[in-house]
């Protein structure tokens, strides 16, 4: 049985004080929720304080990225050990904004996923096609390559979470239809079955991301292979984020 996940990616938003306030509101609003996992991913500068603010609650801490070395002369980078040190359980890897603005390739994503697992962090590996790629009909080629190359050499998939985030749906208000999302999620699970076997692949959480709100999550989560959401914009206000959680909780 797969446990749902709702993860909030706060991107480059919020001061430390604003992050703590948001984290506390999410913590308080999710106390009654029994199943599933709630994750928040603040900026690096707020990780420690948010980690302290959510201690003892059901909310887990994630980073938005990491580097694949332990330490050394890598100005501006952060190691998996440093993320563990401030209380991270999860780390988002290969978000489309990292791929687009910072030129991350599948190979970088792969090195980061393997390093995160080795360090005891759970990677949320993001994949997804652009508008142009969908229009050309190559969605499965692109996503298939991202999955296979991103997981190359990963022997144990249990601690990996996949986020399918069509790039055209991120921050645009243009959410994928439940059928469009389910089609790609089922395709991804099919690849995982080939790579890791049926029962293992059946346990992997595949999240949908792209303009998720409390109003559209109900139809998305009803799909067989959608196990939760990675949320950007709607995770920046406690009400909106808790609304998504409440509309998932008890339905999966
Ligand atoms: C994201 O950036 O991962 C995301 C899904 O953003 P939004 O919810 O704003 O589309």
């Amino acid at each position: 049985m797969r446990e749902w996940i709702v993860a909030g990616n706060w991107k480059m938003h919020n001061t430390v004080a604003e992050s703590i306030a948001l984290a506390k509101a999410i913590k308080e609003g999710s106390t009654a929720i029994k199943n599933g996992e709630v994750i928040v991913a603040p900026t690096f500068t707020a990780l420690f304080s948010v980690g302290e603010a959510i201690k003892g609650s059901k909310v887990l801490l994630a980073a938005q990225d990491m580097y694949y070395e332990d330490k050394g002369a890598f100005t501006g980078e952060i190691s998996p050990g440093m993320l563990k040190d401030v209380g991270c359980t999860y780390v988002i890897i290969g978000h489309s904004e990292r791929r687009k603005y910072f030129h991350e390739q599948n190979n970088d994503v792969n090195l980061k996923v393997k390093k995160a697992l080795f360090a005891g962090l759970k990677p949320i590996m993001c994949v997804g096609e652009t508008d142009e790629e969908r229009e050309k009909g190559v969605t499965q080629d692109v996503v298939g390559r991202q999955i296979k190359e991103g997981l190359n050499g990963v022997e144990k998939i249990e601690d990996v979470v996949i986020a399918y985030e069509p790039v055209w749906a991120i921050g645009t208000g243009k959410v994928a239809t439940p059928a469009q999302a389910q089609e790609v999620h089922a395709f991804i699970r099919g690849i995982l079955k080939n790579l890791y076997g049926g029962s293992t692949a059946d346990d992997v959480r595949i999240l949908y991301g792209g303009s998720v709100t409390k109003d559209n999550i109900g139809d998305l989560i009803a799909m067989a292979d959608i196990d939760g959401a990675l949320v950007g914009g709607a995770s920046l206000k406690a009400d909106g984020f808790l609304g998504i959680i409440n509309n998932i909780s008890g339905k999966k």
Side-chain angles (χ1 to χ4, degrees):
M1 185 62 187
R2 300 188 294 267
E3 283 235 83
W4 57 263
I5 291 177
V6 177
N9 174 13
W10 296 354
K11 307 194 185 187
M12 200 170 72
H13 292 288
N14 291 341
T15 61
V16 172
E18 287 163 348
S19 301
I20 293 170
L22 180 54
K24 282 186 174 162
I26 292 167
K27 171 180 165 174
E28 275 154 33
S30 53
T31 46
I33 291 155
K34 297 282 174 277
N35 63 341
E37 286 188 305
V38 176
I39 301 171
V40 293
T43 55
F44 288 134
T45 52
L47 277 173
F48 177 76
S49 315
V50 167
E52 292 293 301
I54 60 179
K55 249 188 197 149
S57 78
K58 113 162 245 96
V59 186
L60 297 169
L61 191 64
Q64 298 175 18
D65 185 30
M66 53 160 254
Y67 195 47
Y68 50 77
E69 295 288 349
D70 290 322
K71 61 166 95 163
F74 303 105
T75 302
E77 293 296 337
I78 192 143
S79 75
M82 292 165 182
L83 298 182
K84 292 267 295 176
D85 189 40
V86 292
C88 287
T89 304
Y90 282 94
V91 56
I92 298 170
I93 289 178
H95 190 279
S96 69
E97 287 149 17
R98 301 293 318 168
R99 294 177 188 260
K100 178 176 175 190
Y101 300 117
F102 305 100
H103 315 295
E104 284 193 13
Q105 307 292 321
N106 291 341
N107 182 49
D108 302 301
V109 173
N110 177 243
L111 290 169
K112 291 182 178 190
V113 166
K114 285 192 290 198
K115 188 69 185 189
L117 288 169
F118 186 73
L121 286 165
K122 298 180 181 184
I124 301 174
M125 186 179 94
C126 303
V127 298
E129 81 288 0
T130 62
D131 210 358
E132 210 187 346
E133 288 162 343
R134 175 161 283 263
E135 269 167 28
K136 274 198 213 147
V138 295
T139 295
Q140 294 199 350
D141 296 342
V142 171
V143 172
R145 220 175 309 120
Q146 289 171 331
I147 294 284
K148 286 180 200 149
E149 293 179 13
L151 294 177
N152 185 29
V154 172
E155 284 166 15
K156 288 190 70 193
I157 189 81
E158 286 82 351
D159 284 338
V160 178
V161 174
I162 306 286
Y164 168 58
E165 301 204 298
V167 179
W168 48 270
I170 296 180
T172 57
K174 233 169 54 173
V175 65
T177 65
Q180 277 174 326
Q182 167 59 26
E183 187 182 12
V184 182
H185 281 232
F187 169 70
I188 292 171
R189 202 173 304 284
I191 298 176
L192 299 180
K193 282 185 180 168
N194 283 335
L195 293 174
Y196 299 99
S199 62
T200 303
D202 277 338
D203 286 342
V204 176
R205 271 87 57 88
I206 306 177
L207 314 183
Y208 168 78
S211 298
V212 169
T213 64
K214 62 179 167 37
D215 300 320
N216 59 34
I217 190 63
D219 291 341
L220 288 161
I221 202 68
M223 297 290 113
D225 288 291
I226 300 182
D227 306 312
L230 179 54
V231 186
S235 72
L236 292 171
K237 293 265 185 299
D239 278 3
F241 192 59
L242 291 167
I244 293 169
I245 294 166
N246 287 325
N247 284 342
I248 286 191
S249 171
K251 299 213 175 78
K252 277 257 153 145

